[in-house]
Amino acid sequence: MAELRYDGRVAVVTGAGHGLGRQHALELASRGAKVVVNDLGGDRSGVGADAGPAQQVVDEIKKNGGEAVANPDNVATPEGAQAIVQTALDTFGKVDIIVNNAGILRDKSFKNMTPEEFDAVIAVHLRGSFLVSSAAWAHLREQGYGRIVNTSSPAGLFGNFGQANYSTAKMGLVGFTKTLAQEGAKYNIKANAIAPVAWTRMTEDLLPADFADKLGVDQVTPLVAFLVHDTNEDSGEVYTVGGGRIAKIFVAEGPGYGQKTTLSVEDVRDNWAEINSGDPLTVFKNVGEQMGPLIKQLTS
Ligand code: NAD
């Protein structure tokens, strides 16, 4: 089989000055994509700004014979997000691929988490993904082509101590992805999410040091690259990836309980085991499908 190429495609990768985003940008550029390397260049908590990291990645891409342009704007402001997409339009004439990857951490136990710490993390991960996708959306629709990857996290899907802000943003991205997939379907816009694990400055003091070598960022990028390729047909899905392992994550519903149209608190108590059953699990493609069992009960 031929290798996957991205010739003629223009990709925007946010937060691509370090870690995972940097690797996504290098890989896509090495396979022919023209890449906007966005990075605000702050520290892990999002403090500060530096155009250097994005420019360094661009220099590396160019040294390897690829095409790229740096952008130092902030994904979390409407003006910044517009400028990121405009950089693609001005430099390469279009935008095809968006990898929403920029992220920061402000970890605190919930007891100590301030509204500022909550808002700052939501702003970059969730609002930033919304703003950049929104700035590109009309262009993607118009050209009848788009590939979006949003960066979620296992911490969002399954919860993690000290990350109420981060996990809220990351689970929010799952709903965001599923809705974009549905709204983008008739325009050939595919949106998917990843929940990665990799050794970066974000995780170097959180993951076991023994695994540093095995959790390279290069073990995450192949999934991102596949999802943004022309040949990917799947949309609205979430995959976990890292260390050579990859798996699909499902949002699923149990068979449930419901024989009547009225439900009492005693009904809930008496049928608790059935309500909690996960056998069988059903994965619905959209909320219309998910309403199916209820509609069936209401009309039977
Ligand atoms: P990283 O800190 O190396 O990279 C994040 C990049 O985003 C940095 O270069 C930073 O400057 C940039 N950034 C931050 N705020 C920005 C803003 N407002 N505008 C533009 N750029 C901004 O960390 P990473 O591990 O490579 O993280 C990349 C993404 O993957 C993040 O969304 C993170 O939450 C997610 N993630 C990582 C892991 C992991 O194991 N490393 C696990 C789950 C999710």
Side-chain angles (χ1 to χ4, degrees), residues 276-299:
N276 280 284
S277 169
D279 183 22
L281 288 173
T282 305
V283 177
F284 299 107
K285 207 55 192 152
N286 53 50
V287 73
E289 264 190 25
Q290 190 267 347
M291 292 280 286
L294 173 61
I295 303 288
K296 193 172 160 203
Q297 183 186 313
L298 293 176
T299 52

Side-chain angles (χ1 to χ4, degrees), residues 14-22 24 38-44 46 53 72-76 84 100-105 123-125 151-155 166 170 194-203 207 217:
T14 70
H18 297 103
L20 286 164
R22 173 179 172 276
H24 304 334
N38 157 260
D39 205 289
L40 181 61
D43 68 13
R44 187 170 86 160
D73 284 304
N74 184 351
V75 298
I84 293 165
N100 287 309
N101 166 83
I104 61 169
L105 286 184
V124 177
H125 294 272
T151 309
S152 181
S153 169
Y166 184 79
K170 292 307 199 184
I194 64 161
V197 184
W199 188 269
T200 67
R201 71 175 191 175
M202 192 179 270
T203 52
L207 293 169
V217 288

Side-chain angles (χ1 to χ4, degrees), residues 265-279:
V265 63
E266 288 77 21
D267 287 334
V268 175
R269 175 197 61 198
D270 297 343
N271 295 284
W272 196 234
E274 201 176 333
I275 290 164
N276 280 284
S277 169
D279 183 22

